[in-house]
Amino acid sequence: MPPRLARAACAPFALAALAALSACADRAPEPSPAPSTATDVVIIEGARVFDGERDLGVMPLVVRDGRIEAVGGDGPLPAGARRVDYAGRYIVPGLVSDHAHLGNTEGVEHGGRYYTRDHVVRDLRQFQAFGVTTVTSLGMNGEAFYDIRAEVHEADPALGAWMLGAGPGIGAPGGAPPAQAMGLAEDAVPRPADAAAARETVREQARRGVDIVKLWVDDLGGRAPPMAPEVYRAAIEEAHARGLRVAAHIHDLGPAADLVAGGVDVIAHGVRDRPVDAALVEAMRTRGTWYVPTLQIDEANYLYAERPQLVEEEPALRAALQAPLRARFADPAWRRQQLDGEAAAKSRAAVRTNLDNLRTLHEGGVRIGFGTDAGALPHRVIGFAEHRELELMTQAGFTPDQALRTATRDAAELLGLDDRGLLAPGRRADFVVLDADPLQDIRNTRRIRAVWQAGREVAGPLQDFDPDRNAAAAPRPL
Ligand SMILES: [Zn+2]
């Protein structure tokens, strides 16, 4: 049984907010989009509810102080409550991302130099507008991560999606994550050379307050030295001793299998070099290791170049693209460059292998989490990538309700968060209101009417979200 996250949000919300407030008494929270009082009670009615496990039919939700108080109308509904009518619409829990990155891009550029509080908040607000109400920033976070995390939790839901993360993560000396390609000029990612240094790095990150430990175990196609097995085994052991889960970046089957044998909790990308074998399926199933396929990561390398009309056809994609990226996708020279040569063919092959492997692992009973790597590079488009990932999952044999369960209930469970992922009494009132039924067509998750987080209506409709205005909205400095 993997340990729970050290900082799982199981503390009562009011207590956590109080503690945060006393720690930051000199900073007044920003006004929230929909101010409410501490005893605010809202009845959400008329919508058909998928609660993270199943379709409940048309069902009222009673929301009190940011939490779901009741689902359904068995008892009398509270008198004097505010009523919100969503007749003819559909409600699903807020999506939970187990693998994304924050504050790593600016226009068509990327790199550690963009890791500022404003860029992180920009990304969290875009995730929130797309109904992703919990985001795991799985490494490459700058030094400001710990302060930003505390501020976002204190102001919840005013600064966008609720965030957790791995701090900088842990890489290999001279290897992944590739410092030059990822723009890590100052290279905040520690790269321990031996087991003792790995243990010390994990202890330091645990002390600073990471939610999860992230390792990169990848030889980058034979071009770089991979993290040594004794290093990742020591890091996993030390993390578990401190009650922290470990997620590992991989690309190939070999490292994935050895990490699973070493007790890693989460394989944070799909296996893309070859078909997974029965031994891996069996090992992951019996150990309860999670698998986050990130199907969209390789598709993003060619999708927008191959299908520029998507920007016109998909209001949700339009809502996700800042002007510089829109211009890039519209540029025929850029598109040709993306599609010529071996890279696009390799990416297509990676997606095919990833889809096949996801099908095998899912059918084999392995627990599947949800993430895309959105935000690591500009074309891993925040928000749109998540909805596209749900669609790709159906290409790997998931039914729409299985895909939705994965992105809500299961994705929260992967993180050890038992206060979200399901619309059930006592859980956070994080949910998305849709104009069309996602169980009929998973692409309907993009038809967002409204997003609620911590019991407040915080965004929507999605087509009105303006990513340029969001990026320019320079939130107040820390
Ligand atoms: Zn990543």
Side-chain angles (χ1 to χ4, degrees):
M1 193 63 188
R4 294 183 44 75
L5 284 181
R7 303 179 62 153
C10 35
F13 177 62
L15 271 183
L18 208 63
L21 210 61
S22 61
C24 312
D26 56 331
R27 298 203 311 254
E30 281 191 353
S32 85
S36 66
T37 64
T39 54
D40 197 13
V41 183
V42 187
I43 301 171
I44 307 289
E45 53 194 354
R48 185 161 185 156
V49 176
F50 176 84
D51 69 354
E53 268 174 1
R54 61 195 190 285
D55 175 17
L56 302 180
V58 175
M59 190 68 76
L61 301 175
V62 180
V63 173
R64 186 189 294 269
D65 299 338
R67 300 258 169 176
I68 306 276
E69 182 174 77
V71 178
D74 272 358
L77 293 171
R82 187 158 66 92
R83 304 180 90 97
V84 178
D85 182 9
Y86 283 128
R89 314 221 191 264
Y90 300 82
I91 286 179
V92 300
L95 304 183
V96 175
S97 171
D98 299 320
H99 190 164
H101 296 275
L102 297 170
N104 205 49
T105 64
E106 167 76 63
V108 295
E109 306 293 322
H110 69 274
R113 64 191 182 281
Y114 299 117
Y115 195 89
T116 64
R117 183 263 192 203
D118 286 1
H119 282 134
V120 171
V121 170
R122 170 202 65 189
D123 291 350
L124 288 171
R125 285 189 166 140
Q126 182 155 330
F127 272 117
Q128 186 183 62
F130 279 80
V132 186
T133 51
T134 298
V135 174
T136 310
S137 187
L138 205 59
M140 299 192 299
N141 298 286
E143 182 57 30
F145 164 77
Y146 306 98
D147 285 344
I148 300 170
R149 179 186 179 284
E151 191 198 358
V152 167
H153 289 196
E154 176 201 343
D156 178 42
L159 295 181
W162 200 92
M163 71 176 264
L164 63 171
I170 301 175
Q180 201 183 349
M182 293 313 295
L184 304 168
E186 293 156 39
D187 202 10
V189 177
R191 299 170 187 269
D194 56 34
R199 287 180 189 279
E200 180 50 38
T201 304
V202 170
R203 281 196 291 272
E204 165 74 3
Q205 293 187 357
R207 190 182 63 71
R208 298 292 306 277
V210 299
D211 299 282
I212 190 165
V213 170
K214 161 73 178 280
L215 308 174
W216 277 267
V217 186
D218 188 349
D219 70 359
L220 305 175
R223 286 176 287 119
M227 183 182 286
E230 67 266 23
V231 171
Y232 57 73
R233 283 174 182 261
I236 292 168
E237 205 178 278
E238 191 68 33
H240 286 177
R242 267 139 235 288
L244 287 165
R245 292 181 185 183
V246 181
H249 162 111
I250 56 96
H251 185 280
D252 298 343
L253 177 61
D258 197 57
L259 281 155
V260 170
V264 80
D265 304 290
V266 182
I267 296 294
H269 288 293
V271 170
R272 287 160 285 164
D273 64 327
R274 67 185 72 176
V276 294
D277 52 23
L280 183 71
V281 176
E282 181 61 9
M284 292 187 77
R285 193 180 59 75
T286 52
R287 285 177 164 274
T289 317
W290 291 90
Y291 184 82
V292 182
T294 64
L295 299 164
Q296 221 273 321
I297 191 172
D298 298 287
E299 189 201 49
N301 293 338
Y302 57 87
L303 178 68
Y304 308 111
E306 190 177 77
R307 294 172 59 188
Q309 70 276 18
L310 266 186
V311 179
E312 295 311 315
E313 292 170 3
E314 286 273 8
L317 179 57
R318 231 169 19 249
L321 299 179
Q322 292 173 45
L325 205 50
R326 249 184 353 256
R328 169 169 277 189
F329 290 174
D331 174 6
W334 176 82
R335 292 209 304 271
R336 261 195 312 278
Q337 187 198 343
Q338 291 302 108
L339 296 175
D340 287 353
E342 270 182 34
K346 271 191 181 166
S347 295
R348 286 195 183 86
V351 172
R352 280 194 299 273
T353 305
N354 206 352
L355 285 167
D356 287 346
N357 283 338
L358 175 58
R359 183 188 293 269
T360 302
L361 290 159
H362 184 225
E363 288 175 359
V366 171
R367 297 199 287 182
I368 309 298
F370 184 71
T372 62
D373 211 52
L377 295 169
H379 67 281
R380 297 179 190 165
V381 180
I382 286 176
F384 184 74
E386 281 65 29
H387 293 276
R388 183 74 189 167
E389 181 82 10
L390 287 169
E391 184 181 357
L392 289 169
M393 288 168 77
T394 65
Q395 292 180 22
F398 283 63
T399 59
D401 64 305
Q402 286 173 335
L404 270 176
R405 261 196 295 280
T406 301
T408 56
R409 182 194 67 183
D410 298 346
E413 196 188 330
L414 179 152
L415 296 165
L417 300 175
D418 57 9
D419 66 344
R420 66 195 74 196
L422 286 174
L423 299 174
R427 303 235 177 182
R428 289 170 57 96
D430 296 349
F431 58 88
V432 189
V433 183
L434 304 171
D435 282 336
D437 187 356
L439 302 184
Q440 292 299 315
D441 183 340
I442 196 64
R443 291 173 299 181
N444 288 337
T445 59
R446 299 164 204 183
R447 297 182 58 184
I448 295 174
R449 169 65 35 185
V451 179
W452 288 63
Q453 184 177 316
R456 315 259 182 98
E457 186 180 353
V458 289
L462 179 58
Q463 70 224 33
D464 293 348
F465 181 75
D466 180 341
D468 293 313
R469 211 175 57 194
N470 180 54
R476 88 203 141 75
L478 264 177

